[in-house]
Amino acid sequence: MPGLIRGVARTAVVAGTATAVSNRVTRRQQGRWAAQGQYPYDAGPPRAAPYAEPSAPSSPPDMTGKIEQLKQLGELKAQGVLTEAEFEEQKRRVLES
């Protein structure tokens, strides 16, 4: 049973990392297209979202996601699911994204 939990935990960490990387690639591509004046499929520039009254000040979404991933990694390490080396590697990946 512990092997199964460890496998599930690793899968969750990898999936979270993959999502973060995918989002970063998308943002980079959009930035490049905007700088070059090009947009995919000749769709033109992205439209601004309608104005919405902010509910409460919060930290940027990127940082919130990173904090959540780091909390999850810390919990997995505390439970003994991740070794110190695995924890440090995943933490480095989260912080670099």
Side-chain angles (χ1 to χ4, degrees), residues 3-15:
L4 177 63
I5 293 172
R6 186 179 196 134
V8 170
R10 279 188 182 171
T11 301
V13 169
V14 169

Side-chain angles (χ1 to χ4, degrees), residues 29-91:
Q29 287 176 339
Q30 289 174 344
R32 287 180 185 156
W33 290 331
Q36 295 173 357
Q38 299 174 348
Y39 295 95
Y41 312 112
D42 295 324
R47 294 185 182 147
Y51 178 75
E53 193 69 34
S55 57
S58 63
S59 60
D62 277 348
M63 195 52 130
T64 302
K66 287 181 183 182
I67 291 171
E68 285 302 314
Q69 286 181 329
L70 291 172
K71 284 181 184 178
Q72 290 174 352
L73 287 172
E75 290 172 6
L76 292 172
K77 181 184 168 206
Q79 295 170 0
V81 176
L82 293 176
T83 65
E84 181 68 31
E86 291 169 331
F87 172 77
E88 290 299 324
E89 174 63 21
Q90 293 302 323
K91 182 174 85 171

